[in-house]
Amino acid sequence: MDILKRISEQRAHEESLRWEGTFADYLKIVEEKPHVAGTAHSRVYNMIKSAGVEEGEDGTSEYKFFSHELYGLDRAIERLVEDYFHSAAKRLDVRKRILLLMGPVSGGKSTIVTMLKKGLERYSRTEEGAVYGIKGCPMHEEPLHLIPDELRADFEEEYGVKIEGNLCPSCQLMLEREYDGKVEDVVVERVFLSEDKRVGIGTFSPSDPKSQDIADLTGSIDFATIAEYGSESDPRAYRFDGELNKANRGLMEFQEMLKCDEKFLWNLLSLTQEGNFKAGRFALISADELIVAHTNESEYRSFISNKKNEALQSRMIVMPVPYNLSVSKEEKIYQKLIKQSDIGHLHIAPHALRSAAIFSILTRLKESKKQGVDLLKKLKLYDGKTVEGFKLADVEELHNEFSDEGMSGIDPRYVINRISSALINTDRNYINALDVLRSIKDGLDSHPSITNEIKEKYLNFISVARKEYDELAKKEVQKAFVYSYDESAKALLDNYLDNVEAYCNKQKLKDPLTGDEIEPDEKLMRSIEEQIGVSENAKKAFREEILIRISAYARKGKRFDYNSHERLREAIQKKLFADLKDVVKITTSTKTPDENQLKKINEVINRLVEEHGYTAASANDLLRYVGSLLNR
Ligand SMILES: Nc1ncnc2c1ncn2[C@@H]1O[C@H](COP(=O)(O)OP(=O)(O)OP(=O)(O)O)[C@@H](O)[C@H]1O
Ligand SMILES: [Mg+2]
């Protein structure tokens, strides 16, 4: 890649996007593309939607704008987009509220805000997301504000575009002095939102309440020029450079809003409610921007418990951002965070992240009152796994049982810190699930917000995660022992299905060697069915159900394979493993392997390395561990 060339190409591209014209030219653009004159809220909504929406299996919408970086938050994001952004885009009242994201630490609140900011920067550089402003306006304000009040109703009717807000003091003066009041001549330019350049994107972070200056939000008198212009109410003697000014047309992030002095927040009240704020000696200044703040639950509770905050509270829309509750997604979060860190190149054995994820999700789940659902089952259901006796509707019901599930528990950063610590402290060149779980356990003692009672609970979750890992480890090794697992499973399945078909249709089979007609192999069928506890009495129904499933597949033109029926898959797997058990047990636990065993071990290790992502050392380690498990 020639970076210098790319840089100059990019610059040329930016240059090509620039546009400048008169207000009269701008009106033509508005006529053609009325959305350019939309509100900041509608721009954000269009931006999110333009990235695409997909319907997930469980009916939740997946907004692509967020889902490539935020995992497992589809429900929260769907609510955020539909209840807030969509309504706000339609100029409903929620637009006039501050959006307050509330959620536990490291749950993705700041990430959401950052994505919105970065997204707006990019979007304003696209055709659909183009923004225009009055050239020279410190707030890059909407040029339509130039249209006098009396004419707006007619304009709206003709163009189908609503105008809200009044010309800022600086533009008013400019219109008189530089354009002699001729609105049509005013120069308009395309505006590119940029946080670095403070265009349309602002961030406000409160400092010490005593020294906090409202000027940070609304701008201040310019003492350098005041002598020249002689009056504080001359816009030329005022710097419209507060965050509220700068974020006009886009978004302002209000960090630690609830830590802010309440007097300070009054300005926000007016801005959010009326769409304008007071600055210096000027009439109210219009602003069109999305204000996003974030907080955690306890801070929010203490904020609303204070009566004085009632007025503010009613001007906020609180959107919960809980932790992800799916194990697979949690694994993806860890992978992402590890990739971003400087431990990305070290080897973490397969299932290590999954085991940590199982632990994390367990700490976030709430015990259901539904019959027969324990935390582990719930965890599997939430991860999209099939659990005997539960349907999709049950999962939905579980999700709706608690409104505050996921608002507490272990945060992803804690786990990443423990994984780093395990990697730093190991004397091998890799870590595995056991190392990670041990490190998580060791860290609990120094975790600031964990009481003894919670610690007990968490230790229990660690052992649940460990047991789950043991099962995964055993399966992995057993699979690696079967020469080409998929083929063996398929052969066994085909054999079983041939027999089941003959049994149900009361037919005979042909012996492949002699060509003789033979009875269905009852012993083979039972040896598979027994693996999943199908009783002698239930076998007929089970076999018929399988045949029905096969013909249902055939009707849809789909192939029935061993993944098509969850229980049958399990039965086949268990049968294969049962046949192998002794070989695995003896081979993995022997201290002095003979030549044959040694050959087998090497084969298995090779398969683990080549097909399952282990290193030779971590595969060896896994074999020894599984050997000890099987001999317990
Ligand atoms: N569901 C998730 N999907 C992907 N990444 C996530 C998720 N939750 C958290 N993260 C990652 O974890 C890190 C911490 O998240 P972030 O800083 O956004 O959290 P926060 O809610 O703002 O936390 P805090 O309350 O500490 O400010 C980020 O790198 C973020 O990308
Ligand atoms: Mg944050």
Side-chain angles (χ1 to χ4, degrees), residues 484-497 559-562 572 576:
S484 176
Y485 175 81
D486 281 336
E487 256 167 58
S488 310
K490 189 177 166 299
L492 187 57
L493 175 80
D494 285 345
N495 197 357
Y496 175 76
L497 292 181
R559 252 182 64 80
F560 185 93
D561 64 15
Y562 80 96
I572 297 276
L576 279 177

Side-chain angles (χ1 to χ4, degrees), residues 109-111 294 413:
K109 302 180 296 294
S110 301
T111 308
H294 33 99
R413 248 192 225 123

